[in-house]
Amino acid sequence: MTLKRIPSGGEFEAKVGYCRAVVAGGWVHVAGTVGQGEDAVEQCRSALATIEKALAEAGAGFHDVVRVTYMLPDRSEFEPCWPILAETFGANPPVATMIECGLIDPKYRIEIEVTAFLSE
């Protein structure tokens, strides 16, 4: 089995020692991704754009995502993101989990991690 590592050049990749995504055995694992913006909604859109780019480089798209995990320091900021997420995953919704927890920096309001399966 070949591994393909997909870096994004994000500031934490070198500091922590990880890459944005890894393709292994037909699976695409995308690391927890934060975005830029003033609030959770803007950061959600930004994080999804970064994830979309990593998925595309792996040969996948949001329609291939089978699992998504959302992490937020304040669960009340999750509901305003729902319309964006429903639009993103559309008719191909993955299983999902939302966790309320601290993130690496208080400026981050949402972190999103996905796993996709490369269909044959």
Side-chain angles (χ1 to χ4, degrees):
M1 174 176 61
T2 317
L3 294 179
K4 178 180 179 184
R5 299 182 195 288
I6 302 170
S8 68
E11 68 175 295
F12 293 109
E13 289 179 348
K15 290 179 184 179
V16 177
Y18 76 98
C19 62
R20 174 65 43 220
V22 174
V23 181
W27 293 97
V28 182
H29 304 275
V30 181
T33 304
V34 295
Q36 301 303 311
E38 296 299 314
D39 59 22
V41 171
E42 289 178 15
Q43 291 182 21
C44 180
R45 286 185 204 283
S46 176
L48 289 170
T50 300
I51 291 167
E52 183 174 36
K53 183 178 176 188
L55 288 171
E57 192 168 335
F62 284 119
H63 62 279
D64 297 305
V65 173
V66 297
R67 173 173 292 281
V68 60
T69 303
Y70 305 104
M71 294 155 276
L72 295 92
D74 182 351
R75 66 179 172 252
S76 70
E77 295 180 299
F78 189 45
E79 189 171 352
C81 297
W82 292 357
I84 299 161
L85 302 171
E87 179 183 331
T88 298
F89 293 106
N92 302 292
V95 298
T97 301
M98 192 286 286
I99 300 168
E100 185 177 38
C101 63
L103 300 179
I104 198 163
D105 187 309
K107 71 181 178 182
Y108 296 122
R109 308 312 304 156
I110 187 168
E111 184 169 342
I112 305 170
E113 174 185 85
V114 305
T115 303
F117 185 70
L118 294 171
S119 43
E120 311 267 336

